[in-house]
Amino acid sequence: MSAVQQLKHEGLPDGLARCWPDIAHDSAWLKELRTRAVDRVAKLHFPTARDEEWRFTDLGALRELNFEPAAAQKLHAPFADFERLIFPEAAATRLVFVNGHYAPEFSDTHEVPQGVTLTHLSGQGAVQDVLAARHLAQHADMHNEVFTALNTRLFSDVALLFIAPDVVCEQPLHLLFISTAQQTPLLSSPRCLIIGGRDSACTLVEEYVSLGEGVTFTNAVSEIVVEEGARMQHVRVQDEGHAAFHIASSTVTLARDARYQAINVTLGARLSRHTLGVVHHGPGTECAVDGLALISGRQLADTHSVIDHAAPHGKSTQLNKCIVDESAHAVFNGKIVVRRDAQLNDARQQSRNLLLSARARVNAKPELLIQADDVKCAHGATVGQLDEEQIFYLKCRGLSDAAARNLLTYAFAAEVVEKIPLVSLKTRLRAVILDRVVHAHASAEAA
Amino acid sequence: MGTVLLEVRNLHAAVAGVEILKGVNLTVRAGEVHAIMGPNGSGKSTFSKLLAGHPAYTVTGGEVLYQGENLLALAAEERSRAGVFLAFQYPVEIPGVSNASFLRLAYNTVQKQRGGEELDPLEFDDLVREKLKLVEMEASFLERSVNEGFSGGEKKRNEILQMALLEPVLAVLDETDSGLDIDALRIVAGGVNKLLNPGNAVILVTHYQRLLNYITPHFVHVMEDGRIVKTGGKELALELEARGYDWVREEQAAGQLA
Ligand SMILES: Nc1ncnc2c1ncn2[C@@H]1O[C@H](COP(=O)(O)OP(=O)(O)O)[C@@H](O)[C@H]1O
Ligand SMILES: [Mg+2]
């Protein structure tokens, strides 16, 4: 481990504030960025339930823990554990990071086509790339978001994907972030910078998992830029262990005529928060942002999204689905903004929620802020349970109670899952849902 | 005479605290076709769903033996696997589940239980296409969500398709004929006839005599206010068609007075 500076201040829980990694070898602009980040961390406070944006997501348990920033280390995991995480479609177009540090031994980029840059930028001296200097921390809101500021101070290797203008990348690209549970809980700070150049096209999977039992804390920040006329399909999967804390923000900036399709899947973590912002900067942009959360036990999954139409003639659709079992709690806060001069926008949002147990909870809230007058805007939210007549019908055809419930749960999720462009990921998710263990209480409560 | 498949003795059942079945008695043997007729609200669907194991109905008295075993002790899925089949009066729509995958899942689940061979999607496709002919259904129905957007007739044919795949020992067809035009009725009845064999039995719950022109019942029962109040041969259906149900009621009232 590199030398650490001892630092302490009021804003952060003790564990987090204890040690900052050395930045002596960072390039000048990055040092400057880090310094500003520290300054913001010091000025911003750690959110509590009194903050409107964090009303349902209590970070008390996170505060209690003494996390340490994760240093680079070798991953000691059986190959089988790792192998199941590889998508055959992206077997040689993947970057792997362990606790936020680039892991060359697990990465494989030999099939990355011409015109596509899939690489890591090391904080220790190598970050001079013009692209990174131009974009990094320019999109994510370090000024107001303490976790973004914290990530900006702490990240070591940036996952960088750049699709050159006019390049159509057929192979899906895979960014895999693995957190490892250790004796001392570690804070990982994954950072992504993803740029789809003018008129390019690509499909990428950004995935967060953890290996080993135990507490981990991932604080991830992704900045995504879709330039003029470019298309991007972006699947994000969060499947960390059930003792993990996962806080992440994705900021998407769309230039004129850009098309962006996202599918955000949340399966893991004890507590997860995904703050998603899509800004339609140029006219004629389109985004389709879907979400699926499948949680149980005492999990909490919170998605806060802001779809911001800042230019005319844009279109956005958002379908967010939460499937909540046992005592889990899902939060969806979906804000749609249409700025004053952003006429002729069409924004649609649907929030559909399925409660599988009487103790399961969901707080789903649309928030519309419409300042233009010539726009179409529609939203709706539903909360329901599995239909007992459908369950009976399936049982009358021989399906067990669990198989019937899982099939109907899959049917609910299918609308989102079936849109995933990778067959192997789709198959994996289908199995996750269809092979779910149905707890006896769920059926007893529903009866 | 075939072996007794179903023995219903003095069956009482309630839903939401209200008694609906008030002492049903019925014996069904292998190789037999029974028709249960009766006015709306007399309890025919309640009886059918109860046999299939619907959780809304509480048995308050009596017993049901299926192949000599207590049927009421089995969960709905166990009854299905043991060969009891209910064709629903109102088949349930299941958006998001393709008919093909549903049918294969049902088929394989039941096959597994019965020690038969489970089929992969390709093998199953061959089988199901064969069975589709029985009910003159287009293969395109396999790709659609279960019953979603199906017309009334298509839903009923889909029920008979399921019956053809699951090969039940005791099939209860709850108003499978209602809402069908004459062509569809002929097709559905033809399908059922082909599935009949000396080892199985069918209970046809129907409102109308016309189905019985195509499937000849050995027995016709009249259900009235939660009981089977009259049993006869196939000519009873014709009489009911001609005279309505009132005379049965009167005859029964007179019988009770005597
Ligand atoms: N789930 C239920 N809840 C309340 N009442 C019911 C329910 N199912 C059936 N009933 C009542 O039971 C009676 C018999 O209904 P049903 O069995 O559907 O008759 P049929 O099929 O002969 O027309 C009716 O009065 C009906 O309203
Ligand atoms: Mg009925």
Side-chain angles (χ1 to χ4, degrees):
Chain A
M1 196 174 165
S2 56
V4 291
Q5 290 170 276
Q6 297 293 318
L7 227 165
K8 179 158 171 70
H9 72 83
E10 298 303 311
L12 285 181
D14 289 351
L16 287 184
R18 211 168 48 208
C19 43
W20 300 115
D22 186 12
I23 55 166
H25 303 291
D26 283 351
S27 45
W29 71 268
L30 184 56
K31 256 189 212 146
E32 191 270 330
L33 187 61
R34 308 267 205 203
T35 311
R36 276 196 289 136
V38 174
D39 182 52
R40 291 317 300 162
V41 171
K43 294 207 167 80
L44 295 166
H45 76 281
F46 201 73
T48 68
R50 286 189 301 280
D51 294 280
E52 183 57 29
E53 295 290 290
W54 294 84
R55 216 149 68 90
F56 299 108
T57 301
D58 180 5
L59 298 175
L62 180 61
R63 272 190 89 91
E64 307 276 291
L65 287 159
N66 273 332
F67 284 100
E68 269 181 23
Q73 61 176 171
K74 288 261 179 275
L75 178 63
H76 300 288
F79 183 68
D81 277 5
F82 176 73
E83 199 186 16
R84 72 186 159 83
L85 300 169
I86 296 171
F87 300 116
E89 297 95 327
T93 49
R94 69 164 195 270
L95 288 186
V96 179
F97 294 78
V98 175
N99 299 328
H101 297 270
Y102 175 59
E105 67 276 31
F106 296 115
S107 301
D108 185 343
T109 56
H110 81 264
E111 278 177 17
V112 172
Q114 275 271 315
V116 176
T117 308
L118 180 65
T119 186
H120 74 288
L121 298 174
S122 167
Q124 264 74 44
V127 186
Q128 282 133 355
D129 196 281
V130 183
L131 215 52
R134 174 142 47 93
H135 285 290
L136 204 68
Q138 298 307 304
H139 307 279
D141 185 4
M142 167 171 112
H143 196 76
N144 297 303
E145 301 284 341
V146 67
F147 290 108
T148 302
L150 188 63
N151 174 286
T152 304
R153 174 57 185 82
L154 292 178
F155 72 74
S156 66
D157 299 317
V158 178
L160 175 78
L161 170 62
F162 174 59
I163 317 289
D166 298 311
V167 170
V168 174
C169 181
E170 303 287 353
Q171 293 98 321
L173 303 145
H174 189 193
L175 299 174
L176 176 60
F177 296 92
I178 302 174
S179 293
T180 62
Q182 328 252 313
Q183 300 274 305
T184 320
L186 294 181
L187 162 59
S188 304
S189 304
R191 183 84 179 212
C192 296
L193 178 60
I194 294 154
I195 300 162
R198 186 174 30 78
D199 294 317
S200 69
C202 73
T203 297
L204 90 125
V205 181
E206 176 189 352
E207 188 181 19
Y208 298 86
V209 299
S210 51
L211 291 179
E213 301 291 312
V215 182
T216 56
F217 175 21
T218 299
N219 176 33
V221 173
S222 295
E223 294 174 282
I224 296 129
V225 181
V226 191
E227 310 264 36
E228 271 187 45
R231 281 173 292 139
M232 189 182 289
Q233 284 187 306
H234 181 189
V235 185
R236 183 182 195 280
V237 181
Q238 187 273 102
D239 192 10
E240 296 193 323
H242 282 204
F245 294 88
H246 183 95
I247 291 181
S249 80
S250 306
T251 309
V252 184
T253 305
L254 305 181
R256 177 185 204 102
D257 297 324
R259 302 265 176 286
Y260 175 71
Q261 186 204 351
I263 299 163
N264 295 295
V265 181
T266 299
L267 303 170
R270 156 186 178 177
L271 180 153
S272 68
R273 160 67 172 248
H274 185 212
T275 306
L276 168 67
V278 180
V279 186
H280 293 246
H281 260 304
T285 47
E286 255 181 52
C287 80
V289 176
D290 294 337
L292 175 70
L294 174 71
I295 51 173
S296 61
R298 303 188 59 81
Q299 286 182 279
L300 178 139
D302 176 350
T303 296
H304 266 61
S305 68
V306 180
I307 307 240
D308 184 352
H309 289 273
H313 289 283
K315 188 177 172 196
S316 66
T317 55
Q318 184 175 25
L319 172 63
N320 198 75
K321 293 199 164 189
C322 298
I323 302 169
V324 192
D325 198 0
E326 302 179 278
S327 301
H329 182 184
V331 179
F332 172 64
N333 194 101
K335 190 169 180 173
I336 294 176
V337 181
V338 183
R339 308 274 183 106
R340 185 163 302 118
D341 295 318
Q343 302 293 2
L344 298 166
N345 270 291
D346 185 348
R348 280 155 211 282
Q349 180 192 81
Q350 281 186 31
S351 161
R352 304 261 172 266
N353 303 284
L354 176 62
L355 301 182
L356 296 177
S357 114
R359 282 172 293 136
R361 273 210 296 158
V362 63
N363 291 92
K365 184 172 137 209
E367 237 187 290
L368 306 181
L369 195 67
I370 313 295
Q371 296 166 331
D373 47 24
D374 191 5
V375 296
K376 275 193 229 161
C377 199
H379 66 92
T382 57
V383 180
Q385 279 128 39
L386 292 181
D387 182 310
E388 291 300 318
E389 291 304 316
Q390 291 180 339
I391 293 171
F392 177 61
Y393 189 68
L394 294 173
K395 287 185 183 177
C396 280
R397 301 301 178 250
L399 275 67
S400 68
D401 188 67
R405 285 173 194 278
N406 286 345
L407 185 63
L408 295 173
T409 302
Y410 183 75
F412 177 83
E415 208 179 338
V416 175
V417 175
E418 295 296 329
K419 285 185 195 163
I420 291 176
L422 272 76
V423 174
S424 60
L425 177 57
K426 212 166 20 180
T427 309
R428 194 205 283 175
L429 288 174
R430 199 181 284 147
V432 164
I433 302 172
L434 289 176
D435 299 338
R436 259 164 43 87
V437 177
V438 171
H439 296 273
H441 77 85
S443 28
E445 279 170 357
Chain B
M1 274 205 295
T3 56
V4 173
L5 293 180
L6 183 74
E7 183 82 61
V8 180
R9 294 191 193 128
N10 195 27
L11 181 66
H12 290 251
V15 58
V18 181
E19 186 165 63
I20 309 286
L21 299 184
K22 301 172 180 174
V24 177
N25 290 289
L26 180 68
T27 302
V28 177
R29 292 168 188 276
E32 292 178 350
V33 175
H34 290 245
I36 299 181
M37 304 182 73
N40 268 331
S42 57
K44 303 182 300 294
S45 289
T46 301
F47 180 58
S48 307
K49 286 196 257 180
L50 193 148
L51 290 180
H54 195 290
Y57 304 99
T58 315
V59 173
T60 51
E63 60 179 350
V64 180
L65 300 179
Y66 170 68
Q67 296 183 317
E69 308 277 341
N70 178 8
L71 182 71
L72 302 176
L74 302 180
E77 63 272 29
E78 294 166 329
R79 298 183 197 192
S80 163
R81 295 170 194 170
V84 176
F85 179 87
L86 170 64
F88 282 57
Q89 180 172 4
Y90 304 108
V92 178
E93 298 191 3
I94 308 183
V97 177
S98 87
N99 210 19
S101 56
F102 159 65
L103 293 170
R104 191 168 77 88
L105 194 56
Y107 178 82
N108 280 343
T109 306
V110 168
Q111 282 294 101
K112 189 174 179 179
Q113 197 68 24
R114 296 177 188 165
E117 193 194 342
E118 294 179 58
L119 301 182
D120 69 28
L122 283 177
E123 295 166 329
F124 182 74
D125 196 58
D126 292 342
L127 174 74
V128 76
R129 276 166 196 273
E130 201 52 46
K131 303 287 184 188
L132 278 170
K133 291 182 195 153
L134 199 70
V135 285
E136 300 182 24
M137 268 170 88
E138 300 276 341
S140 64
F141 280 97
L142 299 172
E143 304 314 319
R144 293 169 56 181
S145 287
V146 179
N147 293 326
E148 191 187 30
F150 286 25
S151 71
E154 288 161 355
K155 285 181 181 168
K156 299 301 175 79
R157 282 195 243 180
N158 205 29
E159 293 293 286
I160 302 307
L161 175 65
Q162 291 164 44
M163 175 177 166
L165 285 165
L166 301 183
E167 300 182 328
V169 177
L170 175 70
V172 183
L173 311 187
D174 189 2
E175 300 216 21
T176 299
D177 54 330
S178 45
L180 297 186
D181 62 31
I182 196 70
D183 285 336
L185 182 73
R186 197 181 38 73
I187 292 164
V188 163
V192 173
N193 279 327
K194 287 191 197 110
L195 296 171
L196 283 171
N197 66 49
N200 64 19
V202 173
I203 299 175
L204 297 171
V205 173
T206 178
H207 207 67
Y208 306 103
Q209 184 274 333
R210 62 176 194 158
L211 175 66
L212 308 181
N213 291 334
Y214 297 92
I215 308 174
T216 311
H218 301 92
F219 300 95
V220 174
H221 310 275
V222 179
M223 184 170 274
E224 171 77 54
D225 192 23
R227 281 186 206 93
I228 287 176
V229 294
K230 192 171 179 66
T231 294
K234 65 174 193 279
E235 62 296 336
L236 177 57
L238 292 166
E239 198 171 355
L240 291 167
E241 180 86 347
R243 297 175 61 190
Y245 290 105
D246 286 350
W247 66 274
V248 183
R249 254 175 232 153
E250 282 155 21
E251 192 182 272
Q252 202 210 354
Q256 272 168 5
L257 282 179

